[in-house]
Amino acid sequence: MLEERGITVQDSSDFRECEDRMRAIGKNSITPMISSEHNDLSKDNAGWLILQKDGQDIGGVAARHDRLVTETLSGFWSRSYGRLYKGQGHLRVVSDERRPCDEISGSVIYMGEFFIAERMRGSRHLLSLYTHLLFAYCQLRWHADWLYAFVRADDARLGYATEYGFTRQYPGAHVWGVLPKGRATGEYLVAIQSGELADMATYFNLHPSVLLGVDSLKRVE
């Protein structure tokens, strides 16, 4: 369905070039978590998917593979953000107890920098196709236990996390002591576990009209 509309997806591990391509279509900044200026990203463990229409860039998203075995996701953020934001932002420790979001462990994929050029926005259905394709790409490449991202609270309340394909939502996963520029206090952590992703893929393979059907297309467009 994407190809029928002249839309293709290109994968790339040329991090600096991809960041420049995103800036060229209107993305004003790259967050430190996946920026090549702040991380020595391995081409084996990170990459971009660039969305194109008729050969021209119209969007993109980046993904990074990490392994969390002895460290919780909350602990990983707290340690990393202090360095990445250079003291201009840090998380506040909520509790020493294990938090619900810390079930996200093992082989995990962080997805960020999701951006669509302003002139191409408006179709939630095409957005859903793109993110489901991203899930499949990440799972086939890294065989992760979890995929996760962050969405603004307003977008979560409008149902975008479900539209993207995430099955878990954790409001308040981040509690900021000092809020850095470019982040929001109301971000939701959203995630999908590998078993849920496999089940979803099986279901959509058996019932593609649910994801691709004419009725759903008319409803969202």
Side-chain angles (χ1 to χ4, degrees):
M1 184 173 285
L2 290 171
E3 289 183 343
E4 287 173 1
R5 297 176 178 225
I7 296 174
T8 54
V9 178
Q10 175 191 41
D11 67 321
S12 174
S13 291
D14 190 331
F15 309 116
R16 183 62 60 85
E17 180 189 63
C18 289
E19 291 167 6
D20 289 342
R21 289 167 69 177
M22 289 300 98
R23 293 187 182 98
I25 62 172
K27 184 168 175 54
N28 294 323
S29 62
I30 305 294
T31 56
M33 280 294 285
I34 208 160
S35 165
S36 63
E37 294 184 7
H38 294 81
N39 301 275
D40 291 323
L41 296 168
S42 163
K43 292 185 176 182
D44 294 318
N45 287 309
W48 281 81
L49 285 186
I50 305 296
L51 195 65
Q52 296 184 311
K53 181 173 175 59
D54 302 325
Q56 300 297 313
D57 293 345
I58 61 169
V61 65
R64 193 184 81 184
H65 177 219
D66 295 300
R67 287 196 60 82
L68 300 176
V69 180
T70 61
E71 185 174 31
T72 65
L73 189 60
S74 296
F76 174 65
W77 291 330
S78 296
R79 181 175 57 82
S80 298
Y81 282 12
R83 173 180 60 85
L84 293 171
Y85 286 110
K86 296 181 170 59
Q88 297 177 5
H90 64 78
L91 295 177
R92 179 168 62 83
V93 176
V94 178
S95 169
D96 291 332
E97 299 295 324
R98 186 175 179 87
R99 304 180 65 202
C101 60
D102 289 332
E103 67 176 328
I104 300 172
S105 62
S107 174
V108 301
I109 303 297
Y110 165 70
M111 293 169 287
E113 308 312 313
F114 188 39
F115 181 80
I116 301 293
E118 189 170 353
R119 64 185 174 84
M120 294 302 301
R121 296 174 189 173
S123 172
R124 288 178 64 148
H125 187 67
L126 290 179
L127 195 64
S128 179
L129 294 178
Y130 180 40
T131 54
H132 282 78
L133 181 62
L134 169 67
F135 287 1
Y137 171 84
C138 288
Q139 190 62 23
L140 288 168
R141 181 172 178 183
W142 288 299
H143 306 287
D145 299 309
W146 290 86
L147 291 81
Y148 77 96
F150 295 95
V151 301
R152 293 174 297 185
D154 287 347
D155 289 342
R157 284 191 288 268
L158 289 171
Y160 276 94
T162 301
E163 197 80 65
Y164 295 153
F166 293 106
T167 55
R168 313 271 183 111
Q169 298 185 40
Y170 309 81
H174 278 171
V175 179
W176 293 97
V178 176
L179 182 66
K181 182 180 179 181
R183 301 304 294 262
T185 56
E187 289 175 322
Y188 277 49
L189 168 63
V190 295
I192 184 168
Q193 192 263 349
S194 60
E196 295 167 348
L197 178 59
D199 185 63
M200 184 171 69
T202 299
Y203 175 69
F204 287 146
N205 278 327
L206 291 173
H207 305 283
S209 62
V210 176
L211 184 63
L212 306 173
V214 175
D215 290 342
S216 62
L217 186 63
K218 287 180 179 178
R219 185 177 67 253
V220 298
E221 292 193 307

